């Protein structure tokens, strides 16, 4: 296994604390900001989400948004 292969790893939620080699790592430096904007939009338009998607799906989305936004960036999983 080459140095590059060992550096490209992904988390396996089924095996907490372990990592397996990734097939491909796609660098997206602007992605965290994109998700933050999206989550803030979900929260701002919560009533519309509930009307269009139904209560349960909207609540799951809003819970995810609030959880991620409340977690400091340095403490979020990198995978």
């Amino acid at each position: 296994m080459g140095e590059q292969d060992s550096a490209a790893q992904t988390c396996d939620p089924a095996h907490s604390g372990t990592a397996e080699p990734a097939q491909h790592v796609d660098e997206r430096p602007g992605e965290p900001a994109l998700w933050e904007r999206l989550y803030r939009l979900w929260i701002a338009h919560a009533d519309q989400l509930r009307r269009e998607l139904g209560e349960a799906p909207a609540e799951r989305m809003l819970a995810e948004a609030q959880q991620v936004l409340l977690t400091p960036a340095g403490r979020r999983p990198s995978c």
Side-chain angles (χ1 to χ4, degrees), residues 5-28:
D5 292 336
S6 63
Q9 298 199 350
T10 185
C11 293
D12 180 0
H15 299 93
S16 180
T18 65
E20 295 182 11
Q23 295 296 320
H24 175 73
V25 175
D26 192 6
E27 296 288 331
R28 298 180 188 163

Side-chain angles (χ1 to χ4, degrees), residues 8-76:
Q9 298 199 350
T10 185
C11 293
D12 180 0
H15 299 93
S16 180
T18 65
E20 295 182 11
Q23 295 296 320
H24 175 73
V25 175
D26 192 6
E27 296 288 331
R28 298 180 188 163
E31 188 172 10
L34 178 140
W35 281 103
E36 184 174 339
R37 286 191 302 272
L38 181 63
Y39 288 139
R40 291 187 188 287
L41 283 168
W42 287 358
I43 292 168
H45 298 276
D47 292 337
Q48 183 179 355
L49 286 174
R50 288 184 186 101
R51 280 193 308 272
E52 293 182 11
L53 303 176
E55 190 70 25
E59 287 305 317
R60 285 191 299 271
M61 290 171 65
L62 294 167
E64 175 184 335
Q66 290 182 2
Q67 178 181 358
V68 171
L69 291 174
L70 291 175
T71 304
R75 302 196 85 180
R76 294 180 193 153

